[in-house]
Amino acid sequence: MDKKNIDWANLGFSYIETDKRYVANFKNGEWEEGALIDDPNITMSECAGVLQYAQTIFEGLKAYITKDGKIVTFRPDLNAQRLEDSAKRLEMPVFPKERFVKAVEETIRANAAYVPPYGSGATLYVRPYMFGINPVIGVKPADEYQFRVFTTPVGPYFKGGAKPLTLCVSDFDRAAPRGTGGIKAGLNYAMSLHAIITAHKNGFDENMYLDSETRTKVEETGGANFIFITKDNTVVTPSSDTILPSITRRSLVYVAEHYLGLKVEERTVYLDEIKDFAECGICGTAAVISPVGKVVDHENEICFPSGMEKMGPVTQKLYDTLTGIQMGHIEAPKGWIKVVE
Ligand SMILES: *Cc1c(COP(=O)(O)O)cnc(C)c1O
């Protein structure tokens, strides 16, 4: 397979059109057979449900090449399950999990020339999503939906090493109690845009969101879950129904317990205890883990002992082990690595 002529090392994180995308339509109460198509554009009614009432959900995963030259994805079955959970919460039809995984694989295979070479640090980002497409004017769920998968090559997340981030405790809330914070829906991102632009204007990299009921508990950032390390090397990660269940975080918890022999606590984490942690990181598919050096809560600055130069030592071990598993240097737990080609 000839690779496309792309400067892999200097790719950013922006959309680049690839050759094929997968489309399946839901009509008359059932999913039609899907297909790979060439056209990257979508034509729909001006009154489509997604345009009026934001009925749209998505997933994100990566395809990449392992040490032994295979194109693989990481735990796509969990993305399939999460899309199902998101669909149910927004009254959308479930796209069958086996079909989800097959569609992801087919789309990657059809765009294999865009999977960056092993060792480049770049990956092929895979975006499955589903939205209401028929006209909806009275507020109700759509009757017709489209499920799609496209791919786009993205660059190495950290060019020249992972610099610790500075976060601010946001004055905005991300998720309502008993709301939709636990699903991967576009609506959660639409309302986070003002908060992230505000954070950037104030010189911060990301927001730390608190629970909106009491504003005393740490939830997550706009698109990544927190992990903390205590001074005696316990991994602590916030648990709450309003946190999006990150696949990276769940994998790191497993790695901490089963590969590194660390104690893990998944529990409520209060803002006023984070000053006692030794390390902090945020995790998600894109960067695996980004280290956090500092959290600014208005006039109160919390600086983690790991500092502003590099990842903390336990965070680094977690990062190295999980990326080692992903890249095929370290044996993976059964079912984690799905070979596509
Ligand atoms: C996607 C997402 C994450 C990260 O999840 P991964 O499965 O690890 O990529 C975290 N928080 C939010 C709000 C997200 O949408």
Side-chain angles (χ1 to χ4, degrees):
M1 164 70 64
D2 282 345
K3 291 290 172 196
K4 297 284 171 175
N5 187 16
I6 291 173
D7 181 6
W8 306 106
N10 290 309
L11 273 175
F13 198 93
S14 51
Y15 174 74
I16 295 173
E17 191 185 310
T18 58
D19 295 343
K20 300 280 180 183
R21 62 279 305 128
Y22 179 92
V23 182
N25 289 302
F26 182 88
K27 270 189 189 148
N28 304 317
E30 60 182 14
W31 286 104
E32 295 178 344
E33 202 177 328
L36 290 167
I37 62 162
D38 293 328
D39 189 357
N41 298 306
I42 303 171
T43 302
M44 67 176 94
S45 164
E46 62 188 351
C47 194
V50 59
L51 299 179
Q52 304 311 321
Y53 304 121
Q55 204 182 12
T56 179
I57 54 177
F58 67 100
E59 277 301 323
L61 66 163
K62 296 190 292 199
Y64 53 92
I65 296 185
T66 54
K67 201 176 69 170
D68 54 3
K70 294 194 172 79
I71 298 177
V72 306
T73 56
F74 184 70
R75 310 186 78 179
D77 50 314
L78 297 189
N79 296 98
Q81 179 62 55
R82 197 166 61 187
L83 191 79
E84 174 173 331
D85 298 340
S86 300
K88 286 176 175 163
R89 182 64 176 79
L90 293 195
E91 291 294 335
M92 300 166 84
V94 168
F95 193 73
K97 288 198 279 278
E98 322 71 61
R99 285 189 64 184
F100 175 100
V101 173
K102 242 183 99 221
V104 163
E105 289 179 342
E106 274 179 34
T107 315
I108 295 167
R109 239 178 261 129
N111 295 297
Y114 293 92
V115 182
Y118 171 74
S120 64
T123 57
L124 187 68
Y125 185 74
V126 183
R127 170 53 60 88
Y129 59 117
M130 189 208 294
F131 52 92
I133 197 165
N134 67 296
V136 176
I137 192 73
V139 177
K140 65 178 169 84
D143 300 309
E144 295 177 2
Y145 294 85
Q146 193 163 91
F147 170 81
R148 295 178 80 102
V149 184
F150 72 76
T151 62
T152 190
V154 296
Y157 202 82
F158 300 121
K159 289 179 185 140
K163 277 275 174 214
L165 307 175
T166 300
L167 273 49
C168 70
V169 174
S170 184
D171 289 327
F172 299 100
D173 291 327
R174 191 190 85 89
R178 299 163 290 278
T180 54
I183 62 165
K184 215 166 172 73
L187 58 91
N188 289 330
Y189 281 78
M191 61 88 223
S192 76
L193 298 175
H194 178 61
I196 191 64
I197 295 294
T198 304
H200 288 164
K201 271 187 195 150
N202 292 330
F204 301 108
D205 297 305
E206 274 290 347
N207 281 308
M208 169 182 272
Y209 289 107
L210 304 178
D211 76 293
S212 47
E213 194 155 27
T214 70
R215 295 193 59 84
T216 59
K217 301 167 197 166
V218 175
E219 295 241 298
E220 60 173 316
T221 67
N225 286 181
F226 279 105
I227 52 163
F228 298 98
I229 313 295
T230 66
K231 287 180 179 139
D232 57 3
N233 293 351
T234 296
V235 178
V236 178
T237 180
S239 85
S240 153
D241 290 344
T242 47
I243 294 173
L244 192 283
S246 156
I247 294 164
T248 313
R249 186 249 299 160
R250 287 180 272 162
S251 304
L252 287 167
V253 162
Y254 186 92
V255 162
E257 285 178 331
H258 296 91
Y259 283 70
L260 302 176
L262 299 171
K263 220 177 120 225
V264 176
E265 294 174 3
E266 297 182 73
R267 61 165 172 85
T268 299
V269 174
Y270 289 95
L271 177 61
D272 66 9
E273 67 174 306
I274 69 168
K275 64 179 188 328
D276 302 322
F277 290 127
E279 302 173 32
C280 174
I282 56 174
C283 61
T285 293
V288 182
I289 310 179
S290 309
V292 174
K294 196 197 297 190
V295 177
V296 178
D297 175 18
H298 304 93
E299 61 292 332
N300 187 17
E301 280 200 357
I302 299 139
C303 299
F304 296 102
S306 52
M308 294 306 293
E309 287 306 315
K310 55 183 187 345
M311 270 195 196
V314 177
T315 307
Q316 185 75 53
K317 254 189 227 160
L318 284 166
Y319 178 88
D320 291 344
T321 310
L322 184 56
T323 53
I325 288 170
Q326 290 181 331
M327 285 299 163
H329 305 287
I330 298 173
E331 192 174 343
K334 203 167 168 305
W336 278 25
I337 305 293
K338 180 101 187 153
V339 177
V340 173
E341 190 169 278

